Amino acid sequence: GESVGLHLPTLSVQEGDNSIINCAYSNSASDYFIWYKQESGKGPQFIIDIRSNMDKRQGQRVTVLLNKTVKHLSLQIAATQPGDSAVYFCAEKNQAGTALIFGKGTTLSVSS
Amino acid sequence: DTGVSQDPRHKITKRGQNVTFRCDPISEHNRLYWYRQTLGQGPEFLTYFQNEAQLEKSRLLSDRFSAERPKGSFSTLEIQRTEQGDSAMYLCASSLDVLYSRAFFGQGTRLTVV
């Protein structure tokens, strides 16, 4: 069935370190993935997306890597800042292509 | 503010009451989605509109839930005879009507049923 999941529920890093948040997905036919950041009491905020015809995509301080062979997605955040502290979700399009399927999320905690 | 807007932000209601939430999508977005999020979980898809047509409904959307999008602009989500299990964050998102379209979320409506 369709599902996405994250390897670790929590990740703690020091300010300035690079963070890597991982996600495994199960639908080999998935062709579009999105990473969202959600702060407490707020809606998910779009970070970066990637299509299945790409292996890597870079944004501002963030990079998403897609490994279709092992159905694995990762989000790398460079020079992590306290403001990056939030829950991060990966999401994939459902089989109908009409909605997003979310994993449970990884809570990133950044200490100064 | 040109983002997705949801109202109210918080709603406390007694069990058995009806509640209605409103979502105003980004103006040029044809697609509108409703999701539900419980504590510690990712958002779960409820329903999807393309313009005014409701094209998909999740199994999560029981008969007590109804959503509308008259004129293809704002949308409402109504829950009738609320139950304590309905307590959750209700999120609205919108996107363009293209194949790979980023969905942008509102701030959500936090529902508490007491």
Side-chain angles (χ1 to χ4, degrees):
Chain A
E2 299 177 350
S3 67
V4 288
L6 292 168
H7 294 306
L8 291 174
T10 61
L11 177 64
S12 297
V13 301
Q14 289 284 113
E15 182 177 2
D17 288 350
N18 295 333
S19 302
I20 300 176
I21 301 172
N22 295 306
C23 176
Y25 64 94
S26 61
N27 183 8
S28 57
S30 293
D31 63 354
Y32 183 57
F33 304 88
I34 304 180
W35 280 99
Y36 286 93
K37 171 187 179 183
Q38 188 173 27
E39 296 173 292
S40 181
K42 297 185 177 180
Q45 177 188 350
F46 173 89
I47 300 174
I48 192 167
D49 58 356
I50 188 168
R51 301 181 191 180
S52 60
N53 61 352
M54 304 171 71
D55 297 323
K56 178 180 179 179
R57 190 167 190 210
Q58 289 185 296
Q60 188 176 13
R61 282 201 305 118
V62 295
T63 300
V64 55
L65 299 177
L66 176 62
N67 185 331
K68 295 178 286 293
T69 303
V70 295
K71 293 185 287 187
H72 181 269
L73 196 66
S74 69
L75 178 70
Q76 300 179 358
I77 304 173
T80 314
Q81 303 168 0
D84 294 326
S85 295
V87 180
Y88 289 80
F89 293 97
C90 66
E92 63 175 324
K93 278 292 178 79
N94 65 359
Q95 286 190 342
T98 52
L100 294 170
I101 306 294
F102 284 80
K104 289 187 177 181
T106 289
T107 300
L108 176 65
S109 299
V110 183
S111 53
S112 307
Chain B
D1 189 341
T2 57
V4 179
S5 177
Q6 291 189 245
D7 183 70
R9 292 292 310 277
H10 304 275
K11 178 70 177 179
I12 300 174
T13 190
K14 291 184 178 180
R15 192 174 50 188
Q17 298 294 305
N18 299 343
V19 293
T20 300
F21 310 140
R22 177 180 170 122
C23 171
D24 287 272
I26 294 172
S27 58
E28 61 268 28
H29 285 182
N30 302 96
R31 296 181 180 178
L32 186 147
Y33 314 82
W34 284 98
Y35 287 80
R36 182 175 69 185
Q37 186 177 26
T38 54
L39 200 62
Q41 303 296 315
E44 297 172 293
F45 170 72
L46 291 178
T47 190
Y48 153 63
F49 289 86
Q50 183 165 315
N51 299 309
E52 67 275 10
Q54 188 174 17
L55 297 184
E56 189 171 344
K57 290 193 283 188
S58 161
R59 293 188 302 271
L60 294 175
L61 210 67
S62 78
D63 292 344
R64 296 184 297 105
F65 288 67
S66 63
E68 294 182 342
R69 193 183 182 195
K71 304 177 184 178
S73 55
F74 71 92
S75 176
T76 58
L77 177 68
E78 181 183 17
I79 308 174
Q80 296 182 325
R81 304 181 303 282
T82 52
E83 302 173 355
Q84 286 188 321
D86 297 331
S87 296
M89 174 81 88
Y90 289 85
L91 293 161
C92 177
S94 69
S95 72
L96 292 169
D97 188 17
V98 295
L99 183 57
Y100 300 108
S101 181
R102 303 169 179 178
F104 293 90
F105 282 82
Q107 298 289 42
T109 295
R110 169 74 64 189
L111 174 66
T112 303
V113 182
V114 297

